[in-house]
Amino acid sequence: MNAKQGEERRRLILAQARGAGHIAVTEIADELEVAAETVRRDLKVLEDHGLLRRTHGGAYPVEGAGFESNMAHRSESWVPEKRRIAAAAADQLGPAETVYLDEGFTPQLVAEELVNIGRPLTVVTSSLATASILAASATINVILLGGRVRGRTLATVDHWATAMLSDLVIDLAVMGANGLTRDRGLTVPDSAVAAVKAKAMAVSRRKVFVGIHTKFGVTSFCRFSDVGDFETLITDSTLSAHEAHRYSALGPQVIRV
């Protein structure tokens, strides 16, 4: 098989991974009628280019400037883990009276936890879905940032959102990201999203990251903070204790649930 055929095969593998959220080596090998070892080599090439992250028996896509999953996919993957992370994040509330909830599905689950707590709070968010969840509470005052609404995440961005944040002082920010690494910090695919996240970080006294283990070791396109800016990183127990220790050495407590 020539190089052009190999490139076409890798393009198909990447497209399938992005469509399904994960691919299995054996399944894709059968579908493409090639050896499993050929698929493994293709996955390594795609991983070396930062497009996929290999797992035992397969791979999942890395989100970057050219690809970002939608909310429908996020709401269907790793849901039990995300619910545990959300519950742990609510436990970090402490004496906070004002909270920023980031865009994304896991912060939406944190919103559900805050509604269930039933204590008086003012919550600021860029997410239309999160604002809708919080609006059902009689004890939570909801502030939705204005701005351009991104169709993929149903969250507001651009100067309207950052200007509103500039006038606030927030006790606790609960933040997500598309990837985080020890050397490159927390990243997202879109610069407009990164700007809102960076401003939320700047106006918040405490910062907590929420995200599943697949976010760790992944770099996206636009950086918005360092790992050391957070007091706590909350993830699921699939992240190894050794890897958690490497992140905690940069300053934050790492909670695995």
Side-chain angles (χ1 to χ4, degrees):
M1 182 171 289
N2 60 36
K4 185 175 181 181
Q5 289 174 314
E7 290 174 4
E8 176 65 14
R9 188 179 60 246
R10 288 188 285 273
R11 186 189 67 78
L12 292 171
I13 290 172
L14 180 61
Q16 183 147 330
R18 287 175 168 177
H22 181 270
I23 54 170
V25 169
T26 54
E27 292 177 5
I28 200 73
D30 289 343
E31 182 175 328
L32 297 178
E33 298 182 341
V34 296
E37 187 55 39
T38 299
V39 174
R40 292 190 186 96
R41 286 196 297 268
D42 287 337
L43 294 182
K44 185 179 187 308
V45 171
L46 291 167
E47 183 177 54
D48 290 343
H49 282 80
L51 298 170
L52 291 181
R53 185 84 178 273
R54 288 184 295 169
T55 61
H56 179 70
Y60 58 87
V62 172
E63 296 180 298
F67 166 73
E68 183 181 6
S69 63
N70 58 31
M71 289 301 295
H73 170 68
R74 298 182 199 186
S75 66
E76 295 171 353
S77 62
W78 304 99
V79 175
E81 291 83 357
K82 290 175 181 178
R83 289 196 181 279
R84 294 199 302 270
I85 291 168
D91 289 340
Q92 298 295 308
L93 197 58
E97 297 179 347
T98 55
V99 178
Y100 178 79
L101 285 184
D102 200 8
E103 65 169 60
F105 181 65
T106 304
Q108 286 180 33
L109 297 179
V110 177
E112 293 179 2
E113 294 289 335
L114 297 184
V115 169
N116 291 335
I117 289 173
R119 102 182 211 194
L121 288 171
T122 293
V123 179
V124 182
T125 185
S126 62
S127 167
L128 275 66
T130 293
S132 178
I133 292 168
L134 295 168
S137 170
T139 60
I140 296 178
N141 180 37
V142 187
I143 298 175
L144 176 63
L145 299 180
R148 174 173 62 89
V149 178
R150 297 181 73 232
R152 184 162 292 277
T153 60
L154 295 181
T156 54
V157 293
D158 293 338
H159 65 276
W160 300 278
T162 55
M164 284 185 68
L165 283 167
S166 296
D167 293 330
L168 304 177
V169 178
I170 296 171
D171 295 328
L172 173 67
V174 179
M175 306 296 299
N178 295 74
L180 70 160
T181 64
R182 290 178 295 115
D183 58 338
R184 296 177 181 173
L186 284 78
T187 51
V188 292
D190 189 290
S191 60
V193 175
V196 175
K197 288 175 181 282
K199 181 58 70 174
M201 295 280 293
V203 302
S204 298
R205 295 187 175 98
R206 300 167 52 215
K207 300 94 172 175
V208 171
F209 167 78
V210 291
I212 56 172
H213 69 279
T214 60
K215 308 283 188 179
F216 287 75
V218 170
T219 302
S220 190
F221 184 53
C222 301
R223 176 183 170 280
F224 68 89
S225 73
D226 290 324
V227 171
D229 294 334
F230 289 83
E231 72 169 35
T232 307
L233 310 178
I234 306 176
T235 188
D236 61 276
S237 57
T238 303
L239 185 75
S240 70
H242 172 70
E243 193 67 10
H245 177 73
R246 297 175 75 191
Y247 280 87
S248 65
L250 298 177
Q253 176 190 19
V254 179
I255 298 174
R256 299 181 303 136
V257 294

